[in-house]
Amino acid sequence: TGPRRVSLSGGVDRTEGFRSHAERTAVRTSGRVALLDRASGSVALLVRSHWREFEEPGPLLESLYQENRRGSDPLFQFDRTTDREHSATLDAVRRLPENARLTATAGIELRSIDAIRTLALGPGFGDTKERDASATRISFGTQFETGDSPLPGDDRVVLGIEGNRGSFDATY
């Protein structure tokens, strides 16, 4: 089958923010491995992951702004969000005679969010709630493509079908 072609990438972004309690961090990674790579077709696995966490300093009252414009309102001291997203996709291509090909894709995505948010109801008074949410999506698709259609001129014909099934759950 020959050597597998692998590609990996990643990155990290981090900032302390302009104001207190405004830190942000994001981490992302992705990878692709060619499981099969021949003249007749190919199969590849793609994996992605993204994670981020950030704090919310909230709006500043005029009195707090005059005191320290880089500060944060203590009312929002617990406000933060953690967001995670992961996916995996399997792609297959079968090359057919006469400039045609058949492709198929199957994938899954998972996402979760944990967030604490404060709704300011008045100066120094608010309602703080925690929200946990998760989502799952499964997808699939296939298509047939040909560059030699019976129509005159330089064109191609693509026929395909795709489907998705997802779920979402949230609690406060």
Side-chain angles (χ1 to χ4, degrees):
T1 62
R4 295 202 193 319
R5 293 186 203 163
V6 176
S7 65
L8 300 171
S9 67
V12 176
D13 300 316
R14 172 131 176 78
T15 181
E16 290 183 13
F18 174 75
R19 295 174 49 206
S20 300
H21 191 65
E23 296 178 2
R24 294 177 180 273
T25 303
V27 178
R28 63 199 168 282
T29 60
S30 65
R32 182 184 186 280
V33 60
L35 302 173
L36 177 69
D37 193 7
R38 297 186 179 158
S40 61
S42 63
V43 177
L45 176 65
L46 293 88
V47 179
R48 293 185 187 102
S49 186
H50 183 249
W51 170 86
R52 68 184 181 130
E53 185 172 79
F54 56 94
E55 298 173 336
E56 293 287 342
L60 278 178
L61 297 172
E62 183 67 27
S63 59
L64 293 172
Y65 180 79
Q66 296 298 328
E67 193 176 302
N68 179 6
R69 70 185 196 120
R70 290 181 176 243
S72 67
D73 188 330
L75 181 65
F76 300 91
Q77 66 183 320
F78 301 110
D79 288 17
R80 66 178 18 91
T81 299
T82 302
D83 184 1
R84 295 172 290 275
E85 185 176 348
H86 312 287
S87 68
T89 306
L90 190 63
D91 289 327
V93 177
R94 174 74 174 160
R95 292 171 192 85
L96 303 171
E98 301 197 24
N99 205 18
R101 69 183 187 164
L102 183 64
T103 61
T105 302
I108 185 167
E109 295 177 29
L110 306 170
R111 184 170 185 188
S112 67
I113 297 174
D114 302 319
I116 298 174
R117 289 280 185 267
T118 300
L119 174 63
L121 301 173
F125 177 70
D127 186 20
T128 301
K129 298 284 186 199
E130 180 176 5
R131 178 182 183 218
D132 293 324
S134 62
T136 303
R137 183 172 78 101
I138 298 171
S139 61
F140 64 90
T142 186
Q143 77 177 31
F144 171 77
E145 180 179 339
T146 181
D148 297 328
S149 78
L151 302 172
D154 187 21
D155 57 0
R156 65 185 181 150
V157 174
V158 178
L159 301 170
I161 186 170
E162 66 179 47
N164 292 283
R165 173 146 172 70
S167 66
F168 179 78
D169 184 39
T171 59
Y172 281 91

